[in-house]
């Protein structure tokens, strides 16, 4: 989460969303996140005191107190772990599930705060996110479930293996079926119709 003076999202050369002063939230959804976790994070973000008050006292007001805007951008790369020099994203929730969670998160923000002040990017799109960080101030927030799992190496390994199994299951169909497909047997030429190029020689007589 970044405190900003302005932020915007561009997709395909066209600006699709923009805010002035407020917060830019980069949201990475993990395998362990639930609806309860999203509600917790939404409340935390909206109530976190990262702005100054009228007298200039720092860390006194929340985005809701100041009636500022919030721009949310889905960013699965926040769930990255490194395998040597290569980033690995097995701990990120798969796209087909994550999109629903992302929409629920936005809905929760709009339920608690003024809907017209909550903006977002485009889920799954290749985006250019322009952020003018104010301060700079960047605060990393983790849901309780994510904090617990990433602090426990055994749990982390368990999550990785679970996701790897899911991915193998999703990709196994075509590759396995191609391996198990029987080799067409050769038939005697006399079994064909005699027409050149006829495929009946590969059928049962």
């Amino acid at each position: 989460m970044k405190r900003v003076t302005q932020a915007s999202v561009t997709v395909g050369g066209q600006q699709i969303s923009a805010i002035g002063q407020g917060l830019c939230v980069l949201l990475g959804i993990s395998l362990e996140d639930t609806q309860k976790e999203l509600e917790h994070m939404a409340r935390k973000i909206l109530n976190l005191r990262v702005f100054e008050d009228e007298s200039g006292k720092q860390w006194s007001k929340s985005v809701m107190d100041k009636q500022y805007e919030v721009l949310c951008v889905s960013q699965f790369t926040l769930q990255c772990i490194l395998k040597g020099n290569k980033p690995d994203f097995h701990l990120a929730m798969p796209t087909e599930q994550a999109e629903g969670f992302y929409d629920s998160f936005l809905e929760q923000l709009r339920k608690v705060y003024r809907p017209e002040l909550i903006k977002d990017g485009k889920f799954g799109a290749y985006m250019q996110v322009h952020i003018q960080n104010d301060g700079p101030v960047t605060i990393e927030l983790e849901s309780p479930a994510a904090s617990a799992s990433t602090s426990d190496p055994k749990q982390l390994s368990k999550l990785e293996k679970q996701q790897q199994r899911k991915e193998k299951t999703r990709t196994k169909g075509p590759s396995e079926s191609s391996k198990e497909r029987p080799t067409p047997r050769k038939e005697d030429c006399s079994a064909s119709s005699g027409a050149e190029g006829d495929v009946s020689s590969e059928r049962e007589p």
Side-chain angles (χ1 to χ4, degrees), residues 6 15-17 32-33 36 90 115 140-141 153 176 189 200:
Q6 62 182 31
Q15 186 180 97
I16 63 168
S17 194
E32 288 289 276
D33 283 328
K36 184 178 179 181
H90 283 107
E140 182 179 356
L141 297 175
E176 288 298 316
C189 292
S200 61

Side-chain angles (χ1 to χ4, degrees), residues 9 66 120 128 134-135 161 167 173 187 193:
V9 176
K66 302 291 284 186
D120 69 310
Q128 284 74 49
D134 181 28
K161 289 177 181 178
E167 291 192 353
E187 298 285 349
S193 64

Side-chain angles (χ1 to χ4, degrees), residues 3 38 65 90 103 111 125 156 170:
R3 189 179 73 184
L38 293 181
D65 293 331
H90 283 107
D103 291 339
K111 186 187 299 184
L156 188 64
R170 286 199 297 268

Side-chain angles (χ1 to χ4, degrees), residues 107-173:
E107 183 181 338
Q108 186 63 27
L109 289 174
R110 289 170 177 147
K111 186 187 299 184
V112 177
Y113 192 31
R114 293 169 55 188
E116 69 274 16
L117 296 182
I118 305 295
K119 310 291 180 63
D120 69 310
K122 185 175 181 180
F123 186 91
Y126 189 88
M127 297 174 276
Q128 284 74 49
V129 183
H130 304 273
I131 299 172
Q132 188 168 303
N133 201 328
D134 181 28
V137 173
T138 301
I139 295 178
E140 182 179 356
L141 297 175
E142 286 193 350
S143 64
S147 300
S149 61
T150 54
S151 62
D152 183 350
K154 291 183 179 179
Q155 182 67 9
L156 188 64
S157 177
K158 181 181 176 182
L159 287 174
E160 289 179 35
K161 289 177 181 178
Q162 286 176 346
Q163 184 60 9
Q164 287 169 355
R165 282 198 295 271
K166 288 180 182 178
E167 291 192 353
K168 285 180 181 178
T169 301
R170 286 199 297 268
T171 58
K172 169 172 148 175

Side-chain angles (χ1 to χ4, degrees), residues 92-110:
M93 184 177 287
T95 303
E96 57 271 20
Q97 296 172 254
E99 185 170 8
F101 270 72
Y102 178 69
D103 291 339
S104 294
F105 179 73
L106 291 172
E107 183 181 338
Q108 186 63 27
L109 289 174
R110 289 170 177 147

Side-chain angles (χ1 to χ4, degrees), residues 32-127:
E32 288 289 276
D33 283 328
T34 65
Q35 185 64 36
K36 184 178 179 181
E37 310 296 336
L38 293 181
E39 291 173 3
H40 168 85
M41 294 297 288
R43 289 194 304 270
K44 179 66 72 176
I45 288 166
L46 293 175
N47 288 285
L48 202 62
R49 293 180 293 179
V50 294
F51 298 96
E52 62 181 31
D53 63 15
E54 293 72 17
S55 65
K57 183 180 178 183
Q58 293 285 342
W59 319 110
S60 299
K61 296 291 183 179
S62 69
V63 69
M64 289 199 298
D65 293 331
K66 302 291 284 186
Q67 294 292 290
Y68 288 158
E69 296 174 289
V70 179
L71 174 62
C72 293
V73 178
S74 175
Q75 189 176 350
F76 74 92
T77 57
L78 287 170
Q79 296 297 332
C80 166
I81 58 173
L82 293 180
K83 297 289 184 68
N85 291 323
K86 183 179 179 181
D88 183 280
F89 306 107
H90 283 107
L91 295 184
M93 184 177 287
T95 303
E96 57 271 20
Q97 296 172 254
E99 185 170 8
F101 270 72
Y102 178 69
D103 291 339
S104 294
F105 179 73
L106 291 172
E107 183 181 338
Q108 186 63 27
L109 289 174
R110 289 170 177 147
K111 186 187 299 184
V112 177
Y113 192 31
R114 293 169 55 188
E116 69 274 16
L117 296 182
I118 305 295
K119 310 291 180 63
D120 69 310
K122 185 175 181 180
F123 186 91
Y126 189 88
M127 297 174 276

